[in-house]
Amino acid sequence: MKAVVFPGQGAQRKGMGVELFERYPRLVEQADAVLGYSLHELCTDGADRLIDTRYTQPALFVTGYLGYLDHEHRHGAPTMLAGHSIGEFVALAAAGALDFIDALRLVDRRARIMAAIRDGAMAAVIGPGRDEVDALIVRMGVDGLEIANENSPTQTIVAGLSGEIDTFVERCREAGTRAVRLRVSGAFHSRHMRPAATEFAQALRETSFQPPRIPVIANVTARPHDAQIADVMAAHLYSPVRWMQSVHTMLDAGVSEFVEIGPAPVLAPMIDEIRAGWRPQRRAAVAEVHWPEFAPPPVAGAHAALAAALHRLYVEPAASAADWAALWTCGLDVAGWPPLELAATPRSVRRQVRRALETLIPAAASAQHADPSSPLHGRHP
């Protein structure tokens, strides 16, 4: 089985797509008309603009989509598709969930909305895994940061305000941990993008989506897109990119070959590292329950009320440690329930609550399956 994957921002290069523009002149002409500028000029002479989010995202989308058309013509359609951040829009268009022009209009709108959110930054932490980076953020006293991308076992991206990122990078350097500030203009895939997501959601609601002809793995859930594409792609702006988990999903499904279509091999090294540490998962006795964060978790039975209360606290801007402590005692019978940590700030509380929800959801699903009265009992996907 083969999967085709598309990179996100950071993969752009001067001169990218030139040969594709010559091969698909009609589509390029349509794209130029939508965007109001020449993609050929942007990609050949617009080096300064090419690192500007407003231009980077449309350029990566068009070159990725044309590259996919070229690949499909030569090698046929893959079994699965996935994209990293803006690359997910390429995957959705390649799968037929979006018309090329509709997708480009969305990407252009998304890029402009995101570029308007100022004073954000991101940094890559090289070496420690996601949980270690979470602990680093707390230990170094830069609590405003959030995990934005889980790229591989040794590469995690954090996002936050510009000053917070600078402080974090400096304290990592002092502690002997490698952290590199990225050349991006915002705190993408973090809570700072929620205002952008609210505005972008309107554009998504006005767009017609079709069921994908090829499964597309979503960054937000690390599972194939379903009928909630518009909701998921709105949440995509402020939710972490779960790339490592997405690759695990494809490997578990039987994908053995990955083809990256983009200006430079950005995803391929990550996939190689992820694959090296991957172990096949046994088929679950009950379909896993996934929580895309923007909606209450789908938990039924004895723990439904606890799940709903935890979700309300998770989305509460002023979540308090006292509220978390009170809810924590209600989950002591849940297998693997995390230890209580009395966080000092609302963001720390959110991290603890999320960990509790990520423990509760599969535990509740397993309990439903074990209950003879449950409709899930005895069913195997």
Side-chain angles (χ1 to χ4, degrees):
M1 290 173 60
K2 179 177 73 177
V4 169
V5 297
F6 306 93
Q9 285 186 239
Q12 67 271 16
R13 298 290 186 275
K14 182 178 179 180
M16 69 180 189
V18 172
E19 71 288 349
L20 293 167
F21 298 157
E22 295 172 354
R23 215 167 291 156
Y24 299 94
R26 184 169 173 274
L27 287 176
V28 175
E29 183 180 337
Q30 292 175 348
D32 288 351
V34 169
L35 298 171
Y37 54 82
S38 166
L39 281 165
H40 189 281
E41 290 180 10
L42 173 67
C43 292
T44 54
D45 303 319
D48 291 338
R49 288 193 300 162
L50 204 52
I51 61 173
D52 184 328
T53 294
R54 292 172 297 173
Y55 301 101
T56 310
Q57 293 189 26
L60 283 171
F61 171 79
V62 174
T63 55
Y65 183 78
L66 298 182
Y68 176 78
L69 292 182
D70 211 50
H71 176 84
E72 188 180 56
H73 176 70
R74 296 168 187 264
H75 306 287
T79 306
M80 283 189 172
L81 293 161
H84 190 285
S85 194
I86 191 61
E88 189 165 331
F89 279 91
V90 188
L92 287 168
L98 279 168
D99 170 79
F100 170 67
I101 293 301
D102 286 344
L104 179 57
R105 288 195 179 104
L106 279 176
V107 168
D108 184 48
R109 180 85 175 272
R110 179 183 189 268
R112 294 177 186 278
I113 291 171
M114 291 175 69
I117 306 295
R118 301 294 184 180
D119 197 32
M122 304 176 81
V125 184
I126 312 300
R130 183 243 159 85
D131 290 344
E132 295 173 85
V133 173
D134 237 347
L136 269 177
I137 290 170
V138 175
R139 190 165 69 246
M140 293 182 175
V142 195
D143 190 58
L145 302 189
E146 294 183 8
I147 303 297
N149 299 358
E150 298 173 58
N151 283 341
S152 77
T154 60
Q155 186 186 119
T156 302
I157 310 297
V158 298
L161 297 178
S162 186
E164 294 171 335
I165 288 290
D166 287 339
T167 299
F168 179 73
V169 169
E170 177 62 22
R171 291 180 182 173
C172 281
R173 186 190 63 78
E174 293 170 354
T177 299
R178 186 181 173 200
V180 181
R181 180 165 171 152
L182 303 179
R183 294 185 66 187
V184 296
S185 59
F188 305 144
H189 301 291
S190 77
R191 63 189 297 273
H192 298 284
M193 287 292 115
R194 282 184 179 271
T198 300
E199 184 177 348
F200 188 50
Q202 180 60 40
L204 289 162
R205 284 193 293 270
E206 296 167 357
T207 303
S208 176
F209 290 88
Q210 302 299 321
R213 293 190 299 265
I214 303 169
V216 177
I217 306 303
N219 288 174
V220 173
T221 62
R223 288 296 182 271
H225 271 287
D226 55 21
Q228 289 184 296
I229 294 178
D231 290 338
V232 171
M233 294 313 290
H236 188 250
L237 286 180
Y238 60 79
S239 300
V241 172
R242 296 186 169 90
W243 184 250
M244 183 166 65
Q245 295 89 333
S246 296
V247 174
H248 285 163
T249 295
M250 290 184 276
L251 290 169
D252 288 337
V255 171
S256 57
E257 178 187 2
F258 291 85
V259 176
E260 179 176 359
I261 295 179
V266 174
L267 300 177
M270 296 181 196
I271 292 172
D272 287 344
E273 184 188 354
I274 294 167
R275 195 203 294 259
W278 168 75
R279 297 292 178 270
Q281 296 296 308
R282 290 186 307 155
R283 201 164 183 79
V286 60
E288 291 182 56
V289 178
H290 303 285
W291 175 50
E293 185 171 302
F294 58 85
V299 173
H303 291 110
L306 175 58
L310 286 169
H311 184 259
R312 286 195 295 272
L313 184 59
Y314 183 77
V315 299
E316 170 57 53
S320 74
D323 291 335
W324 158 232
L327 287 177
W328 179 83
T329 60
C330 300
L332 291 175
D333 62 331
V334 176
W337 194 241
L340 177 64
E341 295 179 26
L342 287 177
T345 68
R347 293 179 191 174
S348 296
V349 171
R350 288 181 75 245
R351 276 197 290 271
Q352 287 293 301
V353 173
R354 180 175 184 89
R355 190 167 299 154
L357 279 164
E358 289 176 342
T359 302
L360 176 61
I361 292 168
S366 297
Q368 268 194 292
H369 182 264
D371 180 0
S373 65
S374 167
L376 290 176
H377 183 72
R379 284 167 66 189
H380 297 266

